[in-house]
Amino acid sequence: MSELQVLPGAEEFAFGEGPVGALLVHGFTGSPQSMRTLGEYLSERGIAVVGPRLPGHGTTWQDLNTRTGEEWMQTVETAFHHLASQTEEVFVVGLSFGGTLAIDLVARHQDEVAGLVTLAGMVFSKDPRRHLAPVVSRLVASLPGLSNDVADPEGKEIAYDRTPTRAAHAVLRFARRAQAALPQITTPTLVMHARQDHTVHPSNAQYIHDRIGSTDKELVWFDRSYHVITVDYEKDQVFERTFNFIKEHSKHAL
């Protein structure tokens, strides 16, 4: 079977070098493109960044529907260990479901992670269809997508216009796993979310902040953006706060 072609702009990336690394994990149905500009911003400030492409993303929604939570987790795990082998400390930054994967990773590698940043992070869904997910995933291959929840008309996310139902069911199962892991995490944490997020309910942010075991934690809200805060009106503030968090918690001068 030939490998599917990756959509132009959706490729994984690696920028910069130095003792401080940042692993940037994109969201469900999206691609590394949503994290690329943040990666460029951080690399310009002396941070080595890696943005892996989760299996089934940046190709077709049909491809994504064949993938599993285990595959996504292993991809993030592999990228993390590679970055850790090249740097002296690693920060993990996850957008949306990428935040879910980041929480899971950090819970399993407490001593190896210098800090955690969740951007519109998800640990539960309030979509009423979630209760039917096990049934729907067997009856319907896809549903209308939730991509490009962006207020800025110039902001664009490379993402599918359909939501593959089997993969979505896997996301919900993985979210429960991440939610259960929160109290175990004592790593410094920055939580950022938009109040007008239409994809991941904003209450996720407060839940993550309140339940995570870390005593060094901060919750930041944005008022003008929607879900994909890395490409929306307040992206510059998102970038700056992410960098400042890394700078403040790094043992190296940046």
Side-chain angles (χ1 to χ4, degrees):
M1 182 178 174
S2 61
E3 188 171 336
L4 289 169
Q5 185 174 353
V6 177
L7 297 170
E11 305 87 358
E12 61 187 19
F13 59 82
F15 303 131
E17 57 184 20
V20 183
L23 174 62
L24 310 183
V25 189
H26 69 81
F28 180 61
T29 77
S31 74
Q33 173 265 342
S34 63
M35 302 295 271
R36 181 177 291 270
T37 308
L38 171 58
E40 292 169 346
Y41 179 96
L42 295 176
S43 69
E44 289 167 0
R45 287 155 180 78
I47 298 170
V49 299
V50 171
R53 182 177 61 85
L54 301 176
H57 292 77
T59 52
T60 67
W61 69 259
Q62 293 91 341
D63 177 27
L64 180 52
N65 225 12
T66 68
R67 306 299 183 154
T68 66
E70 185 68 24
E71 286 182 271
W72 302 325
M73 181 193 75
Q74 285 300 328
T75 296
V76 173
E77 184 90 14
T78 299
F80 169 72
H81 286 299
H82 175 73
L83 185 58
S85 73
Q86 305 293 317
T87 59
E88 295 177 26
E89 60 182 356
V90 176
F91 291 81
V92 182
V93 184
L95 170 68
S96 192
F97 179 62
T100 317
L101 291 165
I103 289 167
D104 173 77
L105 178 77
V106 173
R108 293 183 289 104
H109 296 282
Q110 296 265 18
D111 297 336
E112 303 167 73
V113 178
L116 166 66
V117 181
T118 65
L119 308 172
M122 172 199 170
V123 290
F124 58 79
S125 171
K126 285 204 167 186
D127 188 324
R129 297 174 295 181
R130 69 190 184 279
H131 302 298
L132 301 173
V135 176
V136 172
S137 63
R138 292 182 175 90
L139 298 177
V140 182
S142 70
L143 294 170
L146 298 172
S147 62
N148 274 291
D149 184 15
V150 181
D152 184 354
E154 296 185 5
K156 179 69 176 175
E157 177 191 26
I158 296 178
Y160 302 142
D161 59 3
R162 303 291 298 179
T163 298
T165 56
R166 286 193 297 276
H169 187 207
V171 165
L172 292 174
R173 292 197 303 270
F174 206 96
R176 289 193 290 270
R177 167 176 163 160
Q179 183 182 130
L182 285 172
Q184 307 166 27
I185 296 175
T186 56
T187 305
T189 301
L190 172 61
V191 179
M192 292 191 273
H193 213 112
R195 296 186 192 275
Q196 299 185 76
D197 190 325
H198 307 104
T199 304
V200 172
H201 197 279
S203 58
N204 275 266
Q206 193 70 56
Y207 189 97
I208 292 169
H209 177 269
D210 292 349
R211 301 301 196 285
I212 202 160
S214 175
T215 54
D216 183 348
K217 55 188 176 181
E218 182 181 8
L219 172 57
V220 176
W221 292 104
F222 296 101
D223 295 316
R224 298 178 60 225
S225 304
Y226 291 167
H227 177 59
V228 194
I229 57 177
T230 53
V231 301
D232 215 331
Y233 283 126
E234 293 152 309
K235 60 182 181 294
D236 291 344
Q237 295 175 48
V238 172
F239 297 172
E240 183 179 0
R241 284 184 174 273
T242 301
F243 172 70
N244 286 339
F245 172 81
I246 294 174
K247 183 178 182 179
E248 290 164 9
H249 291 87
S250 174
K251 60 188 177 184
H252 298 276
L254 291 170

